[in-house]
Amino acid sequence: KNEVEQSPQNLTAQEGEFITINCSYSVGISALHWLQQHPGGGIVSLFMLSSGKKKHGRLIATINIQEKHSSLHITASHPRDSAVYICAVLSQGNLIFGKGTKLSVKP
Amino acid sequence: GAVVSQHPSWVICKSGTSVKIECRSLDFQATTMFWYRQFPKQSLMLMATSNEGSKATYEQGVEKDKFLINHASLTLSTLTVTSAHPEDSSFYICSARAPGGETQYFGPGTRLLVL
């Protein structure tokens, strides 16, 4: 079993829909990252959080340390949000990556 | 926010040649840099952790003589793929962490194709 599990693996949505991507982990962590990887390959760090909730524009990230679970929400999704979203946990100084969720937002 | 650059962004080379990839932190000093490799539709795989002024720590299964890492300054780390072979074709991503922080900033990646 992977230490970081994401769901769903693939997600197709219509423009404007509310999107949720989930991440569960089984190790002790000091922080959790949500990353975005566009088709070109470059990775952008969206959030780093260790508790509670963070919001940036249409993106919201939450984490429940007790349940070892985090969610990434996208409100009013747009085709430009199409990308792979990766959850990564920082455990004992190393990042452990989930396999990513491929999101396609159709106009 | 902090920026990490990589050069080149893509490279095509003949089998047997060596390829050097540079990773720079542009507006902060990175005591620790990480090199990852990503195969198509796969997750990032950590190859090695590089600390400025000391030898890199390689992950199990990564040949240190094949993937030479040099972290000569607080803003520059290089990965040299020596005697590259087609199976080394991949997407290589570096990441940098500022001192005392847990945030990692990722470079745009270098796509290597070995013919």
Side-chain angles (χ1 to χ4, degrees), chain A residues 13-30:
Chain A
Q14 285 299 127
E15 183 173 357
E17 284 185 1
F18 179 82
I19 287 160
T20 296
I21 299 170
N22 295 298
C23 175
S24 296
Y25 53 92
S26 57
V27 295
I29 71 168
S30 54

Side-chain angles (χ1 to χ4, degrees), chain A residues 30 33 37 41 90 93 97-98, chain B residues 36 38 43 91 97 102-104:
Chain A
S30 54
H33 294 253
Q37 185 171 31
L90 187 61
F97 296 86
Chain B
Y36 297 91
Q38 186 181 34
S43 197
F91 191 58
R97 190 184 293 172
E102 292 177 326
T103 302
Q104 274 184 232

Side-chain angles (χ1 to χ4, degrees), chain A residues 3-4 27 87-91 94-98, chain B residues 43:
Chain A
E3 292 166 308
V4 181
V27 295
C87 170
V89 300
L90 187 61
S91 180
N94 289 322
L95 272 183
I96 305 171
F97 296 86
Chain B
S43 197

